[in-house]
Amino acid sequence: MNNELLTYTLRIADNSLILGQRMSEWCSKGPTLEEDIALSNISLDLFGQANGFYSYASQLDGNKSPDDLAFLRNEREFFNQQIVELENIDFGNTIVRNFLYDSYNFLFYSSLKNSKDDTLSALASKSLKEVKYHLRHSKNWLIRLGDGTEFSKEKVQKSLESIWQYTHDMFSMDEIDNKMYRLNIGVNNSNLKVEWDRIINETLIEAKLVRPKDGYNAKGGKNGMHTEHLGFLLAEMQFLQRAYPNAKW
Amino acid sequence: MQSGKIKEIWKLLDSVPDPEIPVISVVELGVVRNISFTNNAYQILITPTYSGCPAVKTFIDDIKSCLKTNKIFNFDIKIIYAPAWTTDWMSVETKEKLRKYGISPPSNKVVCPQCNSSNTVLVSEFGATACKSFHKCSECLEPFEHFKCI
């Protein structure tokens, strides 16, 4: 059970860390000063959430520190969903990805806070408070960009079409998910789909955007299968600990 | 004897300022959740404000050095996550201190700390620190920060 709980916890931690790292890339490059601050703050929240889940994973593991887990694993040992590792590309694309993921993340933590595992439940309740305003941020921007100029509308519609294939895996259930759900520890992801669809459909109508048709389903992130983007992200994030092991400052 | 000492520790920690908003203490901020005595040590339970707030590490270091300066060495600091920190734990007096310092205190109604007008607009939900949003007063036209309700 402990091994499965460890993997389950790492999946949550990895989602937060990798999206946090992506958001940190906006620091000093935001389209306006307010957005620079907003995205950097969201990044900090996500790093903090990741740290909470890594600390728990470290306890379960008994051997590796939270830093070891973040900085000394390779691509195939990361269990985050592929949607969080996708490149930012531009502000609109970042907003689309974040909105699709934040909507899921909000529902996921809303459910995980009822976990029978006290630590996961506490971390979920804490994270949920922050994810609520992350969702508000990405949702409001999506509406402004979708219902904005012809140019902004075209850009975010295109991003929506290209990111859509990565949304299906948020609702998949594998052996570990099923076991954690049966033990009342984990979330039944497939149950989140109805509510997610409602949030997405309502917002897309308000943003005057068209919901893409379901097609190819990019999957496997939770089992260590990733896009080519993750390796580059890790190379930058892990460089210092790899080049100067145990460096501290 | 220990309960007297516990009271003294509460008092000491009430002198440790929040590193970002020095007019309020870590006790007033509500992050010190409990102090007890077991296994020959004072057990101090701390809860973080925001998950990623960089001030958390700083105020834990400040708490440690405050206790050591006062010759208290037998203590353990433990971080707890439940119940999650909320601005509801701030007292009316603490909120007034924030207002006087120029930060609009947590409240569902955002009020300008300069002129007390509630005719204000939100500039950004994100401010200079995780706990604050950025606003502008439509009466006195001053920009100000609001301590977000969470």
Side-chain angles (χ1 to χ4, degrees):
Chain A
M1 208 286 268
N2 239 15
N3 260 341
E4 284 144 334
L5 180 58
L6 171 62
T7 305
Y8 193 76
T9 306
L10 280 175
R11 286 176 179 176
I12 305 169
D14 291 348
N15 279 334
S16 294
L17 177 70
I18 302 302
L19 188 59
Q21 177 68 15
R22 277 291 179 229
M23 290 309 101
S24 76
E25 292 171 9
W26 277 109
C27 188
S28 82
K29 292 182 192 151
T32 63
L33 185 58
E34 286 78 10
E35 273 320 293
D36 204 295
I37 291 169
L39 294 168
S40 303
N41 264 309
I42 290 172
S43 173
L44 262 183
D45 285 342
L46 291 166
F47 285 150
Q49 292 165 15
N51 187 42
F53 288 101
Y54 282 133
S55 300
Y56 187 41
S58 166
Q59 270 177 43
L60 294 168
D61 180 272
N63 210 358
K64 293 180 178 134
S65 72
D67 276 353
D68 292 342
L69 292 168
F71 296 120
L72 302 177
R73 282 181 300 147
N74 295 322
E75 291 105 302
R76 291 295 294 266
E77 298 162 306
F78 269 82
F79 305 130
N80 59 281
Q81 297 173 16
Q82 293 175 0
I83 192 167
V84 297
E85 74 204 35
L86 300 177
E87 290 180 301
N88 292 330
I89 304 183
D90 56 36
F91 182 68
N93 196 73
T94 297
I95 289 299
V96 170
R97 181 260 308 281
N98 285 17
F99 168 66
L100 296 171
Y101 180 75
D102 292 345
S103 304
Y104 156 83
N105 210 18
F106 163 71
L107 297 169
F108 177 78
Y109 283 134
S110 300
S111 179
L112 188 68
K113 80 177 188 335
N114 301 316
S115 171
K116 229 184 70 186
D117 182 294
D118 290 341
T119 309
L120 289 184
S121 159
L123 290 169
S125 305
K126 178 100 198 142
S127 305
L128 181 62
K129 287 189 170 207
E130 295 160 359
V131 169
K132 273 184 190 165
Y133 60 72
H134 297 175
L135 174 58
R136 220 161 39 228
H137 174 260
S138 56
K139 183 180 161 176
N140 287 340
W141 266 111
L142 189 72
I143 294 167
R144 284 170 77 175
L145 294 171
D147 192 16
T149 63
E150 278 304 309
F151 183 63
S152 67
K153 184 194 186 70
E154 194 191 313
K155 276 192 110 164
V156 286
Q157 182 67 46
K158 232 169 111 183
S159 296
L160 202 54
E161 306 282 347
S162 80
I163 298 172
W164 195 253
Q165 60 182 305
Y166 296 98
T167 59
H168 311 296
D169 209 22
M170 303 193 286
F171 309 103
S172 69
M173 291 289 283
D174 71 353
E175 244 175 75
I176 293 173
D177 292 322
N178 277 318
K179 182 155 181 200
M180 289 297 113
Y181 176 58
R182 274 202 311 275
L183 293 169
N184 295 317
I185 292 172
V187 171
N188 186 339
N189 300 323
S190 48
N191 281 354
L192 308 178
K193 183 75 166 47
V194 176
E195 192 53 24
W196 186 82
D197 278 335
R198 194 190 60 76
I199 300 174
I200 301 301
N201 292 342
E202 268 183 26
T203 310
L204 291 183
I205 289 171
E206 208 180 331
K208 301 193 172 133
L209 294 166
V210 185
R211 181 181 164 119
K213 291 206 164 49
D214 291 347
Y216 180 70
N217 169 8
K219 56 175 191 269
K222 65 168 85 172
N223 298 310
M225 306 294 286
H226 294 284
T227 65
E228 67 272 30
H229 308 300
L230 184 66
F232 292 102
L233 181 148
L234 294 182
E236 185 172 339
M237 185 181 80
Q238 298 182 334
F239 166 78
L240 202 118
Q241 279 304 319
R242 300 284 196 177
Y244 305 95
N246 303 318
K248 281 191 169 56
W249 71 91
Chain B
M1 186 233 168
Q2 270 137 17
S3 67
K5 193 90 173 167
I6 286 173
K7 265 189 200 156
E8 188 194 324
I9 294 177
W10 274 108
K11 228 172 141 183
L12 284 173
L13 298 193
D14 201 22
S15 71
V16 177
D18 175 290
E20 306 265 11
I21 309 163
V23 285
I24 61 172
S25 76
V26 292
V27 171
E28 289 172 312
L29 186 64
V31 297
V32 183
R33 299 314 303 153
N34 194 37
I35 303 173
S36 60
F37 188 85
T38 43
N39 303 327
N40 285 321
Y42 296 97
Q43 310 293 333
I44 301 171
L45 300 185
I46 301 277
T47 197
T49 48
Y50 283 74
S51 301
C53 181
V56 175
K57 198 186 169 300
T58 311
F59 68 61
I60 288 176
D61 288 344
D62 293 348
I63 288 172
K64 285 180 186 166
S65 75
C66 165
L67 292 174
K68 285 177 186 163
T69 309
N70 286 280
K71 305 270 184 295
I72 296 166
F73 301 100
N74 54 331
F75 64 88
D76 293 314
I77 294 179
K78 201 180 151 204
I79 295 186
I80 55 160
Y81 288 96
W85 180 79
T86 165
T87 40
D88 296 345
W89 292 340
M90 274 186 201
S91 68
V92 180
E93 293 78 28
T94 304
K95 288 178 183 172
E96 181 55 21
K97 283 187 187 175
L98 285 175
R99 197 193 60 77
K100 279 190 181 148
Y101 188 61
I103 298 170
S104 167
S107 156
N108 290 330
K109 203 166 124 197
V110 179
V111 175
C112 171
Q114 313 293 340
C115 73
N116 284 325
S117 167
S118 47
N119 182 12
T120 65
V121 286
L122 173 74
V123 177
S124 173
E125 255 199 271
F126 298 84
T129 61
C131 55
K132 287 175 288 183
S133 50
F134 192 46
H135 302 252
K136 196 179 139 185
C137 179
S138 303
E139 290 296 329
C140 71
L141 305 180
E142 284 290 324
F144 66 90
E145 289 186 305
H146 168 67
F147 207 108
K148 289 191 272 188
C149 286
I150 192 172

